[in-house]
Amino acid sequence: MNNHSELDSNNKYKILFVCLGNICRSPAAHGIFCHIVKENGMQELFSVDSAGTYGGHQGELPDRRMRRAASARGYELTHRSRPVSSMDFLDFDLIIAMDDQNYEDLMHLAPSVEASHKIKRMASYLTTRDITYIPDPYYMGTEGFNLVLDLLEEGCRNIFSMLSRKA
Ligand code: 4NP
């Protein structure tokens, strides 16, 4: 990871959330993290995006079920799905994978050892649960989407605290 003690308005800290389709988990994490940044008036310091390791949903809005569950918590998800690119490893300071497969796929795509050090697992930022990955809610019911949002809210708050403590 780059030195994020350099959080200032001339040098935004860039964070990318990644899942498989970029229509459920990562756009939700993206929306939640943006919400936290805004809540803390730190929009000048962070740049946030999300992407998928699979490009088959490119251009689509997040899954309707995720948009509905997120909206009920005050997050409006408007991101359009896009695939991860090799440029992302140069552009972003921190790349957060939702599950082990995303992590492995990103590790294979990383163009250098330095770039691979930017990749972290979202579950590594969970402090209240013994969970190692963010489950894919695509084939789950409403409870699955709400569980994912609970996990992402906790992980995003912890990532934000870690980064802003170092500001
Ligand atoms: P996501 O969920 O990776 O959280 O966006 C999925 C979305 C689509 C598919 C799988 C997972 N799919 O197979 O199309």
Side-chain angles (χ1 to χ4, degrees):
M1 200 188 307
N2 281 1
N3 179 1
H4 43 63
S5 61
E6 298 298 321
L7 274 187
D8 65 56
S9 54
N10 297 319
N11 183 20
K12 284 191 177 188
Y13 189 82
K14 299 184 78 176
I15 179 165
L16 180 70
F17 294 99
V18 177
C19 60
L20 175 62
N22 191 212
I23 55 169
C24 293
R25 293 164 293 177
S26 62
H30 177 171
I32 292 167
F33 198 84
C34 283
H35 184 93
I36 296 169
V37 166
K38 206 167 170 188
E39 198 174 69
N40 286 275
M42 292 175 81
Q43 300 94 313
E44 299 304 311
L45 300 184
F46 288 95
S47 173
V48 188
D49 198 1
S50 60
T53 56
Y54 163 67
H57 292 281
Q58 187 160 5
E60 294 178 20
L61 280 170
D63 184 282
R64 186 181 303 278
R65 296 163 297 170
M66 181 54 94
R67 274 188 282 145
R68 190 178 306 124
S71 177
R73 297 181 187 213
Y75 312 114
E76 302 309 324
L77 307 183
T78 57
H79 174 75
R80 295 278 175 173
S81 176
R82 72 163 180 91
V84 177
S85 87
S86 53
M87 279 302 290
D88 290 327
F89 291 92
L90 298 175
D91 283 347
F92 288 88
D93 299 300
L94 180 61
I95 299 176
I96 305 284
M98 296 296 147
D99 63 29
D100 292 340
Q101 188 62 57
N102 308 149
Y103 183 86
E104 293 305 324
D105 291 344
L106 287 166
M107 282 298 204
H108 280 110
L109 282 172
S112 66
V113 172
E114 189 195 2
S116 72
H117 290 157
K118 298 178 176 183
I119 307 166
K120 307 289 175 195
R121 287 180 171 81
M122 185 57 145
S124 70
Y125 299 98
L126 299 177
T127 47
T128 69
R129 306 162 200 253
D130 196 13
I131 286 181
T132 59
Y133 66 97
I134 308 301
D136 183 349
Y138 197 67
Y139 296 105
M140 296 181 187
T142 307
E143 332 75 64
F145 286 86
N146 279 316
L147 168 65
V148 166
L149 288 171
D150 289 343
L151 300 176
L152 296 178
E153 285 179 332
E154 179 178 336
C156 284
R157 291 212 174 272
N158 288 336
I159 293 169
F160 180 81
S161 304
M162 172 193 79
L163 295 174
S164 48
R165 260 200 312 277
K166 296 187 180 190

